[in-house]
Amino acid sequence: MTPTLTISQLTKRFQSVEALKQVSLTLAPGKRAALLGHNGAGKSTMMKIILGLIPFDSGEVTVCGEAPGSAAARMQVAYLPENVAFHPALTGEEQIRHYLSLRGENPRLATELLARVGLAHAARRRIGTYSKGMRQRVGLAQSLIGRPRLLVLDEPTSGLDPVSRRDFYDLLDGLSADGTAILLSSHVLTEVEARTDSILILSGGQLVAEGTLADLRAQAALPITLLVRPAEGRAISLAAVFPEATIGSDGMLRFSCPQADKLPLLASITALGPEVADLDVIPPSLEDIYSHFSRRDGQ
Amino acid sequence: MSCILATAASEFRIAFRNRWVLIATGMMVLFALVLAAAGSAPTGDVDVDRLSVTVASLTSLAVYLVPLLALLMSFDAVAGEVERGTLPLLLTYPVSRLQILLGKLLAHLAILALAVTLGYGAALVMAVWSDPGAIQGIGSMVRLIWSSVLLGATFLGAGYALSALAQRPSGAAGLAVALWLVAVVLYDLALLALIVTDGGGVFTTRALPVALLANPADAFRVFNLSAGQAVAVAGGIGGAAGAIPLWQSAASLFVWPLLAITLALAAFRKVTP
Ligand SMILES: Nc1ncnc2c1ncn2[C@@H]1O[C@H](COP(=O)(O)OP(=O)(O)O)[C@@H](O)[C@H]1O
Ligand SMILES: [Mg+2]
């Protein structure tokens, strides 16, 4: 299957800032990729290049087999910019009707699109009176026009409440099932974890990690945390058996061990029988993995 | 084509909501009525019909007002989109920058056409009211309307170009005011000063016609005055109109809008969102 998006060795400089350094990636139809990275990592820059809004210095970018920003590419790509804005004097419905016309679609579909993003009740109000979350939904509605083959969403869930976020990812599931490739940036890691197929981490313009969450977990090889609650009055004796554990102010013993040592450690703890009241195994969180990759070059 | 029409419809709606339609028509009607009232006083010696007099004074009005309205409507066209942050999204749509500009132009031209038609129409009604024979001059009134639209197109295009160059509405507004002052006011003052110092010499006979054709506002004035044979009632620079063939001023009127839109497109293409 030919990828919807191919980027190889992409480099982009702004005067003194090297915003993207030798970035390569591919995105297959129907795949959802999350682009993570600190502020200024180059996420928005990469998206603007994919859309053909800004030129790049070297490398190759192919969007649906076309040059980025070409008329043929623009027919198949939809975008939701960071901090999307509209003319405040137009109503949500008028704005979406306009965008539908620009894509050669029937303007009457506006009502249905706005209903899909939960804005039916405000469709006839001017966008100037909308909240940030409502404007974001208008932005989402316009990105759904005409079954795009590639959806580029720059921080799409900023300004959305938790319920709206879930609805938003449900929408994406439907689109990707129909074969739309989706590239979205975010810094809400938990939602990205559950609802995307792969994760890309940009740091200082470099792609420092790429893969499914399981891949990244294995690559990072971060230690696992074990929390042990000693039985009544056994804290001291337990701590004496495991000098490597630290005792928290809550009386819990905290172990930090590499993945490979997890099972032997568990066996030696459970062997103590009634000395131990409870035990929790805490795998490294996505935040831990993310900071591991993102900080690697001293950011 | 449908992209241009959709853009035009959206722009027209925005201009309507921002009261631009009301302001433009109101201004044109008000000034036209004032002029018509002033022109209806007995003119005595001049052997022209009443409407020709009205057309001559409306021409002088339009030379100032049409470029002003056009620049006021257009200076925000690109800079406003940049400032609001609406441009990046728009440019990812399958619509070319030329189509965007033509859509805006169509909407703004429609508003200008509406404003001048209503304004001149009001003056026409007043002239015919006091002298039913004045209806004979309807042709010059129609000519004034379409040439005003062409003049407007030139300054709309220039406004878009300045808007794209400045990329900030405040800067674009400043440039627009400067252009209006130079093209409409200072240019003529400079020509007048040259005519006076030249005293009917080479400048007045050779350079002046070229200088008048090179400025769209002067070409508009010359075209309407010489076409309406109203040169006699027009003073100042308009007096030179007789020396310029009609086709030349008409050509200037038609070429300038194309030039202005080409400039605007070139400037807009340089804008990186
Ligand atoms: N138009 C621009 N001119 C100069 N520098 C820019 C421009 N756009 C972005 N940058 C720089 O490029 C880097 C990447 O920015 P950006 O892609 O917006 O980051 P992100 O979206 O990941 O927060 C930053 O250092 C930013 O300052
Ligand atoms: Mg960004």
Side-chain angles (χ1 to χ4, degrees), chain A residues 8 45 62 72 141-142 158 190-191 236 238 247 259 265 284 295:
Chain A
S8 62
T45 303
T62 316
Q142 65 80 31
S158 71
T190 43
E191 61 180 46
I236 309 286
L238 215 53
I247 303 188
Q259 183 74 34
L265 181 62
R295 282 214 201 98

Side-chain angles (χ1 to χ4, degrees), chain A residues 14-15 17 19 38-45:
Chain A
F14 291 106
Q15 296 96 41
V17 186
H38 55 84
N39 291 327
K43 305 182 293 292
S44 300
T45 303

Side-chain angles (χ1 to χ4, degrees), chain B residues 17-36:
Chain B
R17 301 253 161 92
N18 290 346
R19 310 237 148 66
W20 266 117
V21 179
L22 195 71
I23 293 168
T25 4
M27 259 166 89
M28 283 311 298
V29 171
L30 185 72
F31 281 99
L33 283 180
V34 168
L35 276 186

Side-chain angles (χ1 to χ4, degrees), chain A residues 51 53-54 74-75 79 81 84-90 94 98-99 101-103 126 142 145, chain B residues 2-3 6-7 10 13-14 17-18 84-86 88-96 272-273:
Chain A
L51 291 152
L53 288 174
I54 55 176
R74 281 188 283 168
M75 301 278 282
Y79 176 43
V84 65
F86 305 99
H87 200 293
L90 294 176
E94 288 163 350
H98 180 214
Y99 285 134
S101 310
L102 291 185
R103 287 209 185 273
R126 296 201 185 167
Q142 65 80 31
I145 293 173
Chain B
S2 65
C3 284
T7 306
S10 197
R13 186 170 278 129
I14 289 170
R17 301 253 161 92
N18 290 346
R84 275 194 301 281
T86 49
L89 181 57
L90 181 59
L91 292 180
T92 62
Y93 272 76
V95 51
S96 70
T272 326

Side-chain angles (χ1 to χ4, degrees), chain B residues 26-70:
Chain B
M27 259 166 89
M28 283 311 298
V29 171
L30 185 72
F31 281 99
L33 283 180
V34 168
L35 276 186
S40 65
T43 37
D45 58 345
V46 184
D47 182 25
V48 283
D49 62 285
R50 167 135 296 142
L51 198 60
S52 293
V53 179
T54 308
V55 167
S57 44
L58 284 179
T59 303
S60 308
L61 168 75
V63 164
Y64 292 99
L65 217 47
V66 169
L68 184 66
L69 283 176

